[in-house]
Amino acid sequence: MAYATLLVSCFGIPAHAQTGPTPQTDQASPVARQDQPAPTFQFDIPSLPLMQALERVSELTGTAYSAVADVNLAQDGNAISGRFDLQSALQTLFDGTDLTFSLTDGQIVILKRVDAQSTGGTTTAPIVVQGSQSPGIALGSGADSGSTVYGEQLIKGFVQGNNDPNMVFRANPNVQYVVQGQRDEDGASATAEQDLRPQTLSISGGAIDQNNIRLDGVGINSLGGTDTSYNGESNLPDDDKNSINADDLYGLHPQSVYVDASILKQAEIIDSNVSAKYGGFQGGVINYEVMDPSDRPTFSANISRTGSNWTEYHLKSDETPDATAREPRFTKLMYGTSASGPVADQWGVVVSAGRKTAEATKYAGDDYYGREVSTESTADNVLGKLQFKGNDGIKLTTQLVYAPYSQEWEAAENYNSKMDITGDGLSTYVGLEMPIEYDGYGLSNLKLDTRLSFNTSENARESESNVRRQIRSGVAGSAYENLCDATNCYDGWYGDLTQTEQDLGYTADLTGNLGNGDILVGADLHSIRANRRRPEDVYYYYSTSVNSAIVCADADDPACDDGDQVSRRRVHYDAFSGTASFSTAALYAEYGMNFDNVPFGEVEVRPGLRLERETFLGNTNLAPRFNATYYTDWDVSFTAGWNRYYAANMLSYALRDATPSTTVENRTGTTSGADIIYSDDWSYLSSGNKYNFKGSDLKTPFTDERMAAVTFPLPFLGGNTRLKWVERKGREQFSRDSTDSSLSTYTLSNEGSSSYSSYSVEWSKKIGTDPWGGQHAFSINGQYSERQTSNNTYYATSDETEGAYYNGNVIPTMDLGVLTGNLDEPIFVNVSLYSSYLDDTLRTGLVGRYTTGYDTITDSGSDITINGETYDIYEDGYNKARFDLDMSLDYDVIREDNRVLTLNASIDNVLNRGGGHTLSASTPYRKGRAFWLGLTYTY
């Protein structure tokens, strides 16, 4: 019956719903046996409405709660701060209210005080489950109306086989995302399958690099930008790409550290009404919490696999596929291990190590004899956490997360072009949490939470060759006669390019009660340094001449072959190193005031301020935060909020300024008798454009937000319902100065703007026993949103002067991006279901999204020539409605004592949908259904 006990604590099943003998309470239960001391927990719960406070108690202790009919859980309970057993914590919570509690059959039962007195503490009234510690999605209300929290079970159930925690949030209504090769306009590719980095997210209309992603309270955000490429290719080169810009740094990502879902105990997304505690974003906030050391020794190991032989594809091109177009061929493997437990009295440790690998193959065309190119990716994740928990409420934690990443890429039609795209990240901190015994000036329950952190990351493009050469093929007698089946072949690549960031940070939060409200004051200090460098000169040789009379004056000349051929021009990319650094300081405060003398309920008003100073632009910014909530006596709450969010500074501007312009150089041969002698002496011919990103008196971009939310239990069906409206106006956004006509200088201004509005409905419910004995956590939500922005990128593109042809006009490529929009799916519905069967032996997770059809702009595949210039023709298109469904399944094959062997399976795109996009001939395949299979052993 141990599994029945687990279901009680996880799903909040009413006591009268149980059958058979009453489960015994084990040592981990907060209701201890009489011969054992009651376990204690570290509480930090401010004064909240009792329903919210009980949710937190239930989540912390793993104890379900229920209530007799007609109790008022909208009234405020007392704050709980310190280390207590469950009994003592509940006594503190209910002291002075008209409610009390009873610990009955492993549950917290909420009673009216008169009921408890008349029954001698025995519950006789019908019990209605109000909430519990369960895998259900926790929809915040009041000041937390922008928050949605996923517990450890939901993270495991919804991340799918790739172990990416960002995928948990794909069922959130204010999140837009694209799975490359499955839901976007690009077809499936080997490069996309090989990409093991986390999914990027747009939250509440913000760009993917405008979120504040935090790991145990420490930001893991890249400040160097994700879009530094002049040709707009800020992610990874396509499969059919055969050259790159030597100044492009591929593989940039909004996160400086890539996190595995297996190390997390909780994931929270805040899409609106964000506390003054958080800054440096215009999208949303993501909080990941790493698991703490367990009370007893535990161990786990896992392995899983997927591959192209477990994946289906759909041909979605109206054109004949290119000769190089094939279904991607790949394999992915994931494995890892972890251990946790006490190491000394009040000391515990967690260690884990995991690795993901991928190998993919792509194909060259006939010009390169259809050769195959195989490349690999590796993503590691190492965690070490040491924690001390004192009896006096002190908690000391030190943690390190190291996540190196490497992805190979090679052009199919360019020899010796393999490069490693790396993204190594390290995050470490020392944290202290402690209660402060002080009760003066109306203050009480004070707690200090402080962290000293250091993050470092490196993104690089590394290759063995720093010389790329154009070679003439097909010439009889040449050493390169059969190098390729084209006039010109290419060999070599563009050397190394590296970008590093370091962030030394210190944060301190003081929380507690002041009068009848709760307070938060804090500070956030950072010193940030970044460097971008090319360690050695890079050359691209071209303008090749073939002649048997050629004599090379320098035997080490990389672009000259005696009696064969020579390159007469080259592009010279100078080595460089550029460093940028700045500091930021923020002070913030919030005060939640409660007024209980209002009709039919009470009101909470929470004003807040965040004062920021940074040395990069030299700006001082004041961000007000304010929300007010009316909690009625009928469990209905009404919330309104007005907030301002300032963006983080993007170091990419300064880093790009350090990149020197290219130089085109020329050489000519000297005739000596029958010989044409070429020396390695080059003369200046011309310079390429140097893109300087300059600006003066720039203001920090910010977003103003208005929001409103209503939360209530749904009549007849129960559960939690949240209606929400969010409106945002982006102001003072960075963009190119409208008067700037220079092709070489990109002058920044604050002329950019954006707007976002959304209307969403959410409902979640924890469902008790069904006719088959299953327990369920169900959620459904829908959203309508509109988004507009004056520019989608901070940078000019190299083909900006070329433009595109759309609707009878030639327009700049950047403007086309604005018209196309970014992740604009205006209407969609998400549904998720987590289920447990057979005494929690079988667990399943389902996540689906239905997207209605919407208008878009697409490349027609045709060109038009106007005044001698050729432009791609873009036309209006329509993306058809689609429904995507993913599934996970975990089945405990063996359960003996504490040893469990679990079969893990997940299915992406269960319905095998091909999508509504018509794909190009170069990438004509759409990814369909895909399987992951694996095993996990736990002790």
Side-chain angles (χ1 to χ4, degrees):
M1 296 301 295
Y3 305 131
T5 303
L6 179 60
L7 289 176
V8 169
S9 64
C10 288
F11 290 94
I13 306 169
H16 65 271
Q18 302 301 312
T19 60
T22 301
Q24 295 293 320
T25 305
D26 59 25
Q27 294 182 13
S29 169
V31 186
R33 298 175 183 144
Q34 293 183 355
D35 59 346
Q36 295 175 339
T40 59
F41 304 88
Q42 182 63 41
F43 292 89
D44 181 23
I45 302 175
S47 178
L48 295 171
L50 284 172
M51 176 171 283
Q52 297 180 49
L54 285 167
E55 285 286 350
R56 296 196 183 186
V57 170
S58 179
E59 179 181 343
L60 178 63
T61 65
T63 309
Y65 74 87
S66 18
V68 299
D70 300 324
V71 299
N72 176 20
L73 295 182
Q75 62 181 300
D76 275 351
N78 299 300
I80 315 172
S81 182
R83 194 166 190 86
F84 306 100
D85 59 32
L86 178 60
Q87 180 96 14
S88 301
L90 292 173
Q91 288 172 348
T92 301
L93 176 66
F94 288 106
D95 186 34
T97 71
D98 60 354
L99 302 179
T100 186
F101 67 94
S102 174
L103 295 174
T104 305
D105 290 334
Q107 291 192 75
I108 307 167
V109 181
I110 314 303
L111 309 165
K112 294 182 179 180
R113 287 195 182 274
V114 63
D115 294 339
Q117 294 168 0
S118 62
T119 62
T122 302
T123 304
T124 57
I127 297 174
V128 179
V129 174
Q130 301 282 4
S132 65
Q133 161 68 13
S134 80
I137 296 174
L139 304 178
S141 62
D144 296 323
S145 57
S147 169
T148 303
V149 179
Y150 302 80
E152 183 177 357
Q153 291 172 289
L154 276 188
I155 295 173
K156 292 178 179 178
F158 291 163
V159 296
Q160 297 300 107
N162 58 14
N163 208 27
D164 175 12
N166 288 6
M167 291 299 290
V168 172
F169 304 120
R170 67 193 188 280
N172 186 279
N174 278 305
V175 169
Q176 299 265 9
Y177 72 99
V178 166
V179 177
Q180 191 173 359
Q182 182 170 315
R183 301 182 68 247
D184 61 350
E185 297 183 13
D186 297 324
S189 67
T191 301
E193 292 296 347
Q194 196 185 329
D195 187 359
L196 302 176
R197 299 172 303 160
Q199 172 69 51
T200 55
L201 305 173
S202 169
I203 303 176
S204 295
I208 61 173
D209 58 357
Q210 292 177 350
N211 302 317
N212 185 350
I213 303 176
R214 305 169 69 83
L215 182 66
D216 268 10
V218 177
I220 51 171
N221 307 290
S222 173
L223 297 178
T226 60
D227 186 5
T228 65
S229 171
Y230 300 130
N231 58 19
E233 294 177 352
S234 58
N235 200 336
L236 294 170
D238 296 330
D239 279 2
D240 58 354
K241 188 82 172 169
N242 291 306
S243 180
I244 63 169
N245 188 319
D247 290 332
D248 287 348
L249 186 60
Y250 292 94
L252 295 176
H253 195 276
Q255 291 177 223
S256 59
V257 176
Y258 305 155
V259 182
D260 271 359
S262 58
I263 69 172
L264 301 178
K265 67 176 181 180
Q266 182 173 289
E268 178 189 28
I269 184 170
I270 311 175
D271 60 28
S272 56
N273 216 27
V274 184
S275 165
K277 174 182 174 69
Y278 304 108
F281 70 94
Q282 293 188 92
V285 174
I286 290 176
N287 284 316
Y288 288 125
E289 293 187 19
V290 176
M291 56 186 177
D292 288 329
S294 57
D295 295 330
R296 62 179 181 83
T298 63
F299 170 81
S300 71
N302 66 278
I303 186 169
S304 59
R305 181 201 182 274
T306 188
S308 50
N309 55 337
W310 294 354
T311 303
E312 298 185 51
Y313 291 94
H314 303 274
L315 183 62
K316 298 290 292 183
S317 176
D318 292 338
E319 308 170 17
T320 301
D322 292 348
T324 58
R326 313 276 181 88
E327 295 180 1
R329 198 174 80 196
F330 70 94
T331 57
K332 295 181 185 180
L333 188 65
M334 183 173 65
Y335 51 93
T337 184
S338 66
S340 178
V343 293
D345 185 30
Q346 299 180 315
W347 287 89
V349 66
V350 180
V351 292
S352 74
R355 168 167 286 189
K356 303 176 190 176
T357 64
E359 182 177 355
T361 301
K362 57 185 178 182
Y363 308 89
D366 292 339
D367 286 349
Y368 281 70
Y369 310 115
R371 76 183 188 115
E372 296 185 359
V373 173
S374 295
T375 49
E376 299 180 351
S377 296
T378 301
D380 293 333
N381 198 273
V382 179
L383 163 70
K385 185 173 189 176
L386 179 66
Q387 192 171 79
F388 169 81
K389 292 183 179 180
N391 294 327
D392 52 0
I394 293 178
K395 182 166 70 173
L396 177 66
T397 305
T398 180
Q399 177 176 290
L400 180 146
V401 176
Y402 177 51
Y405 179 84
S406 176
Q407 178 169 349
E408 294 177 339
W409 185 91
E410 184 174 358
E413 299 187 352
N414 193 120
Y415 296 114
N416 299 312
S417 58
K418 182 172 288 187
M419 62 179 179
D420 286 330
I421 299 171
T422 64
D424 299 345
L426 180 144
S427 177
T428 183
Y429 77 89
V430 176
L432 173 66
E433 301 175 40
M434 59 179 295
I436 298 177
E437 300 296 334
Y438 180 79
D439 295 326
Y441 299 98
L443 292 167
S444 61
N445 300 313
L446 294 179
K447 179 184 176 182
L448 178 67
D449 185 349
T450 182
R451 282 172 169 79
L452 177 65
S453 63
F454 177 72
N455 287 0
T456 182
S457 65
E458 179 179 279
N459 292 93
R461 190 201 69 216
E462 301 172 347
S463 57
E464 295 182 359
S465 170
N466 67 324
V467 173
R468 183 171 184 252
R469 181 185 178 189
Q470 179 193 78
I471 300 174
R472 187 69 58 84
S473 181
V475 179
S478 169
Y480 306 103
E481 179 179 358
N482 298 311
L483 184 63
C484 71
D485 196 18
T487 301
N488 292 315
C489 309
Y490 297 89
D491 182 82
W493 210 237
Y494 292 100
D496 299 346
L497 189 64
T498 302
Q499 181 169 298
T500 59
E501 296 180 36
Q502 293 89 35
D503 181 353
L504 177 64
Y506 175 78
T507 60
D509 290 340
L510 181 66
T511 58
N513 295 107
L514 177 61
N516 69 337
D518 60 274
I519 62 168
L520 161 68
V521 294
D524 190 5
L525 311 175
H526 292 270
S527 176
I528 299 167
R529 183 180 185 274
N531 175 268
R532 187 181 178 97
R533 65 187 180 276
R534 179 161 41 229
E536 57 183 352
D537 291 359
V538 171
Y539 301 93
Y540 166 53
Y541 292 90
Y542 65 106
S543 185
T544 304
S545 174
V546 179
N547 196 315
S548 60
I550 291 173
V551 175
C552 305
D554 188 343
D556 295 327
D557 191 330
C560 184
D561 297 284
D562 285 321
D564 199 326
Q565 55 186 275
V566 65
S567 296
R568 296 171 295 177
R569 286 188 181 180
R570 71 182 183 184
V571 181
H572 183 184
Y573 302 88
D574 287 320
F576 72 93
S577 179
T579 300
S581 60
F582 69 97
S583 300
T584 67
L587 300 175
Y588 48 88
E590 283 184 353
Y591 181 44
M593 299 174 286
N594 299 298
F595 303 92
D596 55 9
N597 57 346
V598 297
F600 310 112
E602 59 184 69
V603 171
E604 179 191 54
V605 178
R606 185 175 296 270
L609 282 175
R610 183 179 178 92
L611 178 65
E612 301 173 338
R613 172 68 182 177
E614 49 81 19
T615 61
F616 184 69
L617 297 177
N619 294 333
T620 300
N621 305 310
L622 185 64
R625 312 282 171 92
F626 179 86
N627 61 78
T629 302
Y630 175 40
Y631 294 100
T632 72
D633 294 336
W634 306 284
D635 294 335
V636 180
S637 66
F638 301 88
T639 301
W642 297 265
N643 305 285
R644 174 169 289 184
Y645 312 124
Y646 279 92
N649 288 291
M650 302 296 290
L651 286 171
S652 50
Y653 308 119
L655 297 177
R656 277 306 253 184
D657 277 342
T659 306
S661 62
T662 59
T663 302
V664 179
E665 299 170 334
N666 185 65
R667 67 177 172 182
T668 57
T670 302
T671 302
S672 176
D675 296 334
I676 306 176
I677 302 173
Y678 284 88
S679 66
D680 201 17
D681 295 328
W682 297 80
S683 59
Y684 172 84
L685 185 64
S686 63
S687 293
N689 292 330
K690 183 183 188 303
Y691 290 82
N692 296 311
F693 300 96
K694 67 178 184 178
S696 60
D697 299 323
L698 288 171
K699 299 177 181 178
T700 306
F702 66 90
T703 293
D704 284 332
E705 174 189 86
R706 297 187 298 168
M707 63 83 60
V710 182
T711 59
F712 55 92
L714 195 64
F716 306 110
L717 294 178
N720 298 317
T721 306
R722 182 168 66 186
L723 312 179
K724 189 158 59 177
W725 165 70
V726 177
E727 180 183 80
R728 290 184 169 186
K729 300 290 185 182
R731 310 181 193 279
E732 308 287 2
Q733 302 296 302
F734 288 146
S735 66
R736 186 171 190 176
D737 192 308
S738 59
T739 63
D740 183 9
S741 59
S742 171
L743 297 179
S744 62
T745 300
Y746 185 77
T747 303
L748 287 174
S749 75
N750 288 117
E751 297 177 1
S753 63
S754 65
S755 65
Y756 174 81
S757 62
S758 73
Y759 305 84
S760 60
V761 180
E762 302 169 81
W763 180 64
S764 67
K765 181 177 175 60
K766 304 156 191 174
I767 304 172
T769 307
D770 64 20
W772 301 275
Q775 313 292 324
H776 311 280
F778 177 75
S779 175
I780 186 171
N781 62 67
Q783 186 219 43
Y784 171 78
S785 65
E786 295 180 350
R787 177 182 182 271
Q788 292 182 337
T789 179
S790 61
N791 60 292
N792 275 335
T793 177
Y794 294 123
Y795 297 100
T797 58
S798 61
D799 57 354
E800 188 177 27
T801 56
E802 299 174 7
Y805 186 83
Y806 170 69
N807 202 21
N809 297 294
V810 176
I811 62 175
T813 304
M814 184 184 296
D815 291 346
L816 179 69
V818 173
L819 291 171
T820 305
N822 176 39
L823 304 173
D824 293 330
E825 296 178 347
I827 302 175
F828 57 82
V829 177
N830 296 312
V831 60
S832 64
L833 175 65
Y834 180 90
S835 301
S836 172
Y837 301 93
L838 306 175
D839 286 341
D840 203 37
T841 300
L842 173 64
R843 301 167 298 281
T844 62
L846 289 168
V847 178
R849 168 173 286 201
Y850 175 76
T851 305
T852 62
Y854 58 98
D855 296 322
T856 186
I857 300 173
T858 59
D859 189 341
S860 68
S862 301
D863 300 329
I864 187 172
T865 301
I866 301 176
N867 297 327
E869 296 288 341
T870 301
Y871 304 95
D872 293 334
I873 299 176
Y874 283 77
E875 60 188 11
D876 293 327
Y878 183 76
N879 290 340
K880 299 178 182 178
R882 62 173 291 152
F883 179 67
D884 298 290
L885 181 66
D886 300 329
M887 178 181 181
S888 68
L889 182 149
D890 298 307
Y891 178 67
D892 296 338
V893 181
I894 300 174
R895 300 185 75 171
E896 295 181 355
D897 298 327
N898 294 324
R899 296 181 293 274
V900 181
L901 180 65
T902 304
L903 173 66
N904 312 115
S906 68
I907 309 173
D908 300 336
N909 195 358
V910 173
L911 302 179
N912 200 25
R913 301 293 191 187
H917 294 101
T918 299
L919 304 178
S920 67
S922 60
T923 55
Y925 293 98
R926 169 71 72 204
K927 187 176 181 180
R929 185 186 297 115
F931 293 86
W932 278 85
L933 287 177
L935 289 172
T936 300
Y937 173 79
T938 57
Y939 171 79

